[in-house]
Amino acid sequence: MSAPSVLAVFAHPDDESLSAGGILARHAGAGARTAVVTPTWSADTPRAAELAEALRILGAGPPRMLGYADSRVPHSAPGRPRWCDAPLDEAVGALVAHLRDVRPEIVVTHDAYGGLTGHEDHVHTHRVTTLAIHAAGLERLFPEAGEPWQPSALYLATHPHSALRAWGGHWAPTGKAMRTVPDERVSATVDVTPWLDRKIAAILAHRTEVARGAAPGLIAALSAPERERLLGTEWFTCHDLTPTAPFCPG
């Protein structure tokens, strides 16, 4: 049985590798159509080139960048609005076009908290993606974006409360809260250790983030056992998008 096709939507270059690099490498390695949409940063920046290298390592095709500005880095897309400020219909329509082009069975994005950090761009990406996956299946919405397509499942990348045991000591020095969900909210726990070398290589390809000491920099400083402990598992809350029969009162 062939692996299902996947489209990942993550806010910034490096989010895709950190949050879902293992399953992207896994599906691509199984021959599934695999792609990534990145809403922020323009295609002529060093971070875009780093993203292209990371996606090549993961087997996830060329970058698909929407070109909005990172909410905290105005020079990431000069002259473009911040992702959080973009008109909602415009943002949803841009993503619908990629959904209809890739035609994925599974869409992967940030959870409602925006992952561990709760970055406002992550949270907004979650909102836009959940709207777009429904709009993509409706022929009268965004007809200029291509033929309708309805993905079968939505996977929200998350961390359970129990992950605090692994992440807490590394996260504490940042002074940031960790946004995790109750373990029972996690519907898929994926062992990605067979693809861990590729995932780590993709993370480290984001050299700008390594240099400034962001999450890839934290990963670069870890030993191999610590990397496996932190990155060898990926967690998701899964939502079935398959249409069901409507409820009809008796």
Side-chain angles (χ1 to χ4, degrees):
M1 188 173 180
S2 60
S5 53
V6 176
L7 177 67
V9 187
F10 286 101
H12 311 111
D14 82 353
D15 291 332
E16 78 298 324
S17 302
L18 288 162
S19 298
I23 67 161
L24 290 171
R26 171 186 174 182
H27 282 257
R33 189 168 60 256
T34 309
V36 174
V37 172
T38 309
T40 66
W41 290 78
S42 63
D44 59 353
T45 59
R47 291 199 65 182
E50 293 166 0
L51 175 64
E53 183 179 349
L55 298 187
R56 179 189 60 75
I57 292 166
L58 296 174
R64 294 170 174 262
M65 306 185 75
L66 302 187
Y68 293 99
D70 181 319
S71 66
R72 302 179 187 179
V73 189
H75 70 263
S76 58
R80 293 296 307 279
R82 299 190 319 156
W83 171 231
C84 290
D85 296 335
L88 187 59
D89 275 4
E90 175 186 300
V92 171
L95 185 51
V96 165
H98 288 283
L99 285 163
R100 291 177 177 172
D101 180 47
V102 178
R103 307 180 82 75
E105 295 164 82
I106 296 171
V107 175
V108 187
T109 192
H110 303 280
D111 70 5
Y113 287 143
L116 284 178
T117 67
H119 192 296
E120 61 270 21
D121 286 342
H122 297 185
V123 175
H124 191 60
T125 299
H126 167 84
R127 293 172 181 152
V128 172
T129 303
T130 54
L131 290 171
I133 58 176
H134 293 293
L138 299 172
E139 71 276 5
R140 293 188 180 180
L141 291 180
F142 307 103
E144 71 284 356
E147 291 298 313
W149 175 259
Q150 180 62 65
S152 299
L154 172 64
Y155 286 13
L156 304 178
T158 194
H159 284 76
H161 290 339
S162 59
L164 286 169
R165 290 193 295 269
W167 277 91
H170 297 283
W171 202 256
T174 70
K176 299 177 180 177
M178 290 181 64
R179 291 164 175 81
T180 58
V181 301
D183 284 51
E184 59 269 23
R185 295 291 299 272
V186 174
S187 37
T189 299
V190 184
D191 176 8
V192 298
T193 52
W195 302 274
L196 189 57
D197 286 349
R198 289 172 64 186
K199 175 177 178 175
I200 291 171
I203 291 170
L204 299 183
H206 293 281
R207 291 177 291 278
T208 300
E209 296 301 275
V210 172
R212 78 178 187 92
L218 182 154
I219 301 305
L222 297 178
S223 67
E226 288 175 314
R227 289 176 177 178
E228 181 171 343
R229 187 164 64 93
L230 290 185
L231 300 171
T233 303
E234 293 176 355
W235 298 274
F236 304 92
T237 299
C238 306
H239 298 273
D240 185 357
L241 303 176
T242 305
T244 55
F247 171 69
C248 299

